[in-house]
Amino acid sequence: MRMWIVDAFSDRPFAGNPAGVVLLRDFAEDGWMQLVAREINHAETAFAHPLPPGREADWALRWFTPTTEVDMCGHATLATAHVLHETGSATGTVRFAARCGVLTATANADGSITLDFPTSTLTPQETPEELPRALGARVLSVHGTAAHVGDLLVELEDEKAVRALTPDLRALGKASRRGVIATAVAENPGRGYDFVSRCFFPNVGIDEDPVTGSAHTALAPFWSARLGRPDLTGLQASARSGLVRTALRGERTLLTGDAVTVIEGELFSAP
């Protein structure tokens, strides 16, 4: 079996969010896929296999963190689409059947890929008492997200506050099912982005995710409502950093980014 490590939401190696991609003839036993994801040890590893013609999708897709399976993952979907196009296994738009429904990935003329994902609902919530202390920052607002995202979207005072976060991850893990999306408006939109974010998911074994596609299905409606524009660019201000171009289209959100392969190899452990 072939496997790849792809840096997603980046146009250069060693930035963005690395994802494992493993192409199979059919899904293996869950425990084996979890062991492979733990061995690859990136935020997510995607497992995909082709579906017969005439189905609602072209490929079946699942994602595993080093500790658990997740319902939806943007950067590993982008990485998988990148691999399929680079290897000639797909052209144009690829349809993926996943736990969160059918997702599509379209290759663009400039080499970027656009994902079509479900827009997350946003539900205003009272600020949990422990949250500001766990984050170490003043919280302006808190919103719950859809079940397939499972995070708290937390608005902070400014970009500097987001960049300066050094949260108590153990305490943060008690605040939501998966974790926290911390965000603020860009200090200077002239730099090429409209808002910033950082994502902490201690409950699925990811202390900080470098660039999170699924989080942007919640960030897009949040900031589009605040800024009055459907098309925005978000900077996830992790140490690796990455840009996600978002386009709010009602119940769907388009996420566009680049990807680059950094490792290609063979997986010798058979399922």
Side-chain angles (χ1 to χ4, degrees):
M1 289 165 290
R2 296 168 71 190
M3 59 162 287
W4 294 260
I5 304 297
V6 175
D7 288 344
F9 294 113
S10 174
D11 60 0
R12 64 188 191 279
F14 314 121
N17 200 352
V21 177
V22 180
L23 300 184
L24 303 167
R25 293 182 180 177
D26 201 348
F27 287 135
E29 192 268 332
D30 289 4
W32 181 86
M33 291 191 289
Q34 185 64 74
L35 287 173
V36 172
R38 189 175 72 183
E39 189 75 9
I40 291 175
N41 200 35
H42 286 311
E44 266 90 12
T45 295
F47 297 86
H49 71 79
L51 293 171
R55 300 282 290 272
E56 64 174 355
D58 308 303
W59 289 75
L61 182 62
R62 293 170 71 180
W63 312 275
F64 288 78
T65 78
T67 63
T68 190
E69 185 173 8
V70 296
D71 292 338
M72 188 172 77
C73 178
H75 85 280
T77 304
L78 179 61
T80 304
H82 171 78
V83 166
L84 293 178
H85 284 100
E86 288 288 297
T87 59
S89 300
T91 58
T93 297
V94 185
R95 301 169 300 165
F96 294 107
R99 286 169 59 163
C100 59
V102 175
L103 311 172
T104 65
T106 301
N108 302 311
D110 64 358
S112 65
I113 293 174
T114 296
L115 307 178
D116 183 329
F117 271 43
T119 301
S120 174
T121 54
L122 295 172
T123 306
Q125 295 186 6
E126 293 292 327
T127 302
E129 183 179 348
E130 72 279 6
L131 184 59
R133 183 169 57 252
L135 278 173
R138 180 170 176 259
V139 173
L140 297 187
S141 69
V142 176
H143 289 74
T145 59
H148 57 263
V149 179
D151 304 321
L152 288 182
L153 191 154
V154 180
E155 182 188 9
L156 302 185
E157 288 185 285
D158 53 31
E159 180 175 335
K160 291 178 182 177
V162 174
R163 290 181 178 274
L165 289 175
T166 55
D168 179 338
L169 294 169
R170 179 174 294 183
L172 204 62
K174 300 176 182 178
S176 72
R177 181 168 63 87
R178 184 172 72 159
V180 165
I181 307 163
T183 188
V185 70
E187 183 178 301
N188 181 2
R191 294 175 178 168
Y193 55 91
D194 302 289
F195 60 88
V196 296
S197 65
R198 289 175 66 191
C199 295
F200 306 95
F201 306 137
N203 291 337
V204 293
I206 305 168
D207 289 348
E208 180 171 5
D209 197 34
V211 190
T212 313
S214 61
H216 283 77
T217 67
L219 289 162
F222 181 83
W223 287 113
S224 288
R226 297 291 182 95
L227 300 177
R229 289 183 285 123
D231 296 356
L232 301 169
T233 298
L235 171 71
Q236 195 152 330
S238 65
R240 293 177 64 100
S241 188
L243 291 171
V244 183
R245 301 195 297 276
T246 67
L248 187 63
R249 301 293 185 263
E251 294 183 354
R252 309 296 294 186
T253 294
L254 306 182
L255 309 172
T256 299
D258 297 294
V260 57
T261 299
V262 292
I263 295 174
E264 180 180 352
E266 291 185 55
L267 183 63
F268 291 106
S269 173

